[in-house]
Amino acid sequence: MSERTKSQNPDYTPINYDEIPADLYELLPSFGNYSVFHSREWHRFISRAMHWKIKGLVYTDKDGQPVYFLPYVSKWRMLKRVNVCLPLTYSITPVFRSGLNPSNIDLQNELPQLEIHGQLNTGNAKHISNHFTTWLDLQSHDNIDEIFRATNKSNIQRKIKKARKIGVTVRVTNDTKDYRIFSDLQTETRKRQGAPTYPKDFFSIMHEELMPSGLCKLFLAFYNDTPVSGVIVIDDSDSAIYGYGASVSDRDLLRLGINQITMWSAIEDAFLNGKKRFEFGSTSIHHPDLLTYKERWGGESSNLVYTYYSNDENQIDIDQGGSMVSMGSWLLRKIPLGLYKKISPTLLKLVI
């Protein structure tokens, strides 16, 4: 089902799809700024895992050919209906054909209450930066040892060596049961952090939808044959993107470098497979220690600007440093695990 409306720019016609056509997905890789987050595989994964309908706003030229594409979900965020450009927690902008000036596309009339995790300079957009994005430039290094030496400014290198010495091993796995193991570690980690966790089958569905196309990799660390840490990396053409990380809560094990050796294995794999960048993802301004940790790997950071098209003066995102978030985080850490597993996935869908 689609809805055609009249654009303020007579050169382009907007079409709002309730279901994105299969033939459009075939065209998108030829568009500028195309990423894994625009792919059919990613949208199937998010749709199944979060139970959201993936919609698409498309602009066509005078010949009826698609020239601009913005994927989004229409969802409740607390008590407000918002449209959020996928993939929710990573940097992304719409994709468009070569030669199109994206500033000619004004999204204000088509999708009010729209949030885009990237900077678009069109219409009456508002720009807010409450996050940073961090990346490691892999192509500026000649070999993997050079990248490893760059971590010598902190205790990261020392912890990696300690983990190796005590026998922590990391393997890349495509096994379904290992994704379930990672899911359990993720739940343990997010409860420890006071953050809501993902739906029960989130990572199993990721495995089913992304792994066959090589779009995700799971690095799982073992100590004494027990899984203790994991990292999932998303493959995006020239970049490897740190998507999800998890570990046990045992402080003694954490001091042994289990997280550091797992992350290093992911970075090493990205370099050896010819990736130009390793993306550490976004970091809230309210978590400066996490930002510092990412930069200690040799990462560079810059402001991640969010673009908002809103028909009122109220900000449509959530203040991560506010008292309500702090109180909710405290409660999630304190409630029993069974109750946490039951209610926090619903909470996650309401706040992201």
Side-chain angles (χ1 to χ4, degrees):
M1 180 179 177
S2 65
E3 179 184 346
R4 292 176 180 267
T5 57
K6 188 175 181 180
S7 173
Q8 291 183 329
N9 189 324
D11 293 328
Y12 306 108
T13 300
I15 307 174
N16 209 338
Y17 288 100
D18 275 343
E19 185 172 340
I20 301 169
D23 58 352
L24 178 60
Y25 281 119
E26 302 299 327
L27 289 175
L28 292 178
S30 65
F31 284 24
N33 295 331
Y34 177 77
S35 74
V36 62
F37 302 122
H38 299 97
S39 70
R40 177 165 27 197
E41 291 90 344
W42 186 268
H43 292 171
R44 278 199 306 248
F45 155 53
I46 292 294
S47 179
R48 288 183 58 199
M50 303 297 285
H51 300 287
W52 287 332
K53 177 178 283 188
I54 312 301
K55 301 181 180 182
L57 177 61
V58 176
Y59 282 78
T60 60
D61 60 17
K62 292 181 177 179
D63 296 323
Q65 296 300 308
V67 294
Y68 187 97
F69 171 67
L70 182 152
Y72 70 98
V73 294
S74 183
K75 63 180 292 291
W76 286 101
R77 178 176 288 159
M78 303 309 287
L79 299 177
K80 183 177 291 187
R81 194 75 179 179
V82 297
N83 297 302
V84 185
C85 182
L86 290 173
L88 303 178
T89 56
Y90 302 92
S91 175
I92 190 175
T93 59
V95 291
F96 49 87
R97 282 196 181 276
S98 175
L100 174 77
N101 183 351
S103 64
N104 290 331
I105 302 295
D106 186 357
L107 301 168
Q108 181 71 50
N109 293 327
E110 306 307 322
L111 288 175
Q113 300 301 100
L114 173 64
E115 173 183 303
I116 299 174
H117 296 180
Q119 185 163 352
L120 296 184
N121 297 313
T122 61
N124 297 316
K126 292 183 286 188
H127 300 104
I128 300 173
S129 180
N130 290 323
H131 293 80
F132 296 96
T133 182
T134 307
W135 68 93
L136 175 60
D137 184 3
L138 298 177
Q139 64 179 345
S140 66
H141 298 278
D142 293 328
N143 55 66
I144 194 64
D145 292 333
E146 188 177 303
I147 299 174
F148 187 69
R149 286 194 295 272
T151 67
N152 202 30
K153 298 176 182 178
S154 67
N155 66 353
I156 288 177
Q157 189 180 114
R158 178 177 59 81
K159 285 198 170 184
I160 294 171
K161 291 179 178 179
K162 178 184 290 187
R164 286 173 175 168
K165 185 176 181 180
I166 65 170
V168 177
T169 59
V170 182
R171 70 177 186 223
V172 183
T173 172
N174 292 323
D175 197 315
T176 304
K177 67 177 179 61
D178 287 333
Y179 277 75
R180 290 196 291 267
I181 289 171
F182 179 85
S183 180
D184 291 338
L185 286 173
Q186 176 78 188
T187 298
E188 181 177 348
T189 300
R190 293 183 73 85
K191 189 175 191 307
R192 180 173 76 238
Q193 295 171 341
T197 195
Y198 296 94
K200 179 182 178 182
D201 296 325
F202 187 87
F203 294 103
S204 295
I205 295 171
M206 173 186 286
H207 174 266
E208 292 173 10
E209 296 290 355
L210 302 185
M211 191 278 295
S213 299
L215 296 179
C216 67
K217 282 184 178 180
L218 170 57
F219 298 81
L220 203 57
F222 293 81
Y223 179 60
N224 291 335
D225 297 323
T226 301
V228 292
S229 174
V231 163
I232 290 181
V233 171
I234 308 300
D235 186 281
D236 187 27
S237 185
D238 290 336
S239 296
I241 302 172
Y242 166 76
Y244 308 88
S247 66
V248 295
S249 300
D250 187 312
R251 292 185 178 181
D252 291 334
L253 284 175
L254 291 173
R255 293 190 190 100
L256 296 177
I258 58 174
N259 285 328
Q260 287 77 11
I261 194 171
T262 313
M263 181 72 84
W264 172 250
S265 297
I267 294 172
E268 184 178 37
D269 180 85
F271 179 83
L272 296 177
N273 281 283
K275 300 298 181 183
K276 295 179 180 179
R277 286 162 65 104
F278 187 89
E279 305 274 357
F280 289 95
S282 64
T283 308
S284 168
I285 60 173
H286 302 292
H287 297 109
D289 291 344
L290 178 57
L291 181 66
T292 299
Y293 175 74
K294 292 178 179 180
E295 291 176 342
R296 283 175 176 167
W297 289 91
E300 305 172 54
S301 298
S302 64
N303 284 51
L304 174 55
V305 178
Y306 283 15
T307 299
Y308 296 93
Y309 295 89
S310 179
N311 53 15
D312 60 41
E313 293 303 315
N314 297 321
Q315 190 170 322
I316 64 176
D317 67 349
I318 292 176
D319 181 8
Q320 297 296 323
S323 58
M324 286 186 62
V325 171
S326 297
M327 177 61 71
S329 180
W330 180 84
L331 287 172
L332 289 175
R333 287 194 293 268
K334 296 298 182 181
I335 62 175
L337 180 61
L339 181 60
Y340 171 82
K341 288 180 178 181
K342 185 175 181 179
I343 68 172
S344 73
T346 299
L347 179 61
L348 177 75
K349 292 168 68 174
L350 288 174
V351 298
I352 60 175

